[in-house]
Amino acid sequence: MINRLSAIKATLPEGVALCAVSKYHPEEQLQEAYDAGQRIFGESHVQELVRKEAALPKDIEWHFIGHLQTNKVKYIVPFVSLIHSADSVRLITEIDRQGVKCQRRVPVLLQLHMAQEETKYGFTIDECRDFLVSGKWQELQGVELRGIMTMATNCDDEELWRREFREARRFFEEVKHCFSGGTPILSMGMSHDYTIAIAEGSNMVRIGTAIFGER
Ligand SMILES: *Cc1c(COP(=O)(O)O)cnc(C)c1O
């Protein structure tokens, strides 16, 4: 596992951050990756994240990458470093409310829905643009908008992934002046498509299987 982790890290260009997606993998595996220097871990279930956060070193940056239910926001807001999957205005409103309660601005990415599948969560580009143009996000005290996240359609058509990543990148460039808190983040690319995502401008990849093996 450590060999796979270092091999992937060695191929990432400078400026591309690695979120090691550790969902369903036991604490021991995360600790091993931590001991090898990995600090950013991505989880997609609230209960599992809360359990791991309590058990593992305090300087880990925990990223939440899965669909987040509004009633569970409060459990992760006190410690989460980045929520990749803000997929509705309603969810953002709740993250804001909980962030204010904890006296913190929670770093958040807006999840774009590029994929063809009906079931995927996220804003379409038009919905996301409307939200940003409305300027309502400027009133948020408990949320800091840091960038965009997207997933390509789940299929094996590399050219489709490329087109979707390219479209997300174009939109990211259009709206990135809205983001604050450092270099704007474009989170795209998983085990099977991260090299394409990076070629299309991703600066944060979320890699699970290629590091930790099958779940
Ligand atoms: C599980 C997951 C990943 C990692 O997928 P792998 O194929 O294991 O690399 C990345 N992003 C999201 C949103 C995920 O849910």
Side-chain angles (χ1 to χ4, degrees), residues 19-25 42-44 64-67 84-85 111 149-151 187 189-194 205-215:
C19 172
V21 176
S22 47
K23 62 189 183 198
Y24 302 123
H25 292 289
E43 292 283 336
S44 58
F64 193 82
I65 62 171
H67 176 61
H84 289 234
S85 43
Q111 180 173 354
M149 181 274 240
T150 199
M151 267 184 282
S187 165
M190 308 167 41
S191 291
H192 63 283
D193 58 13
Y194 75 89
V205 290
R206 309 175 310 269
I207 302 180
T209 311
I211 297 172
F212 296 103
E214 292 292 334
R215 292 178 285 270

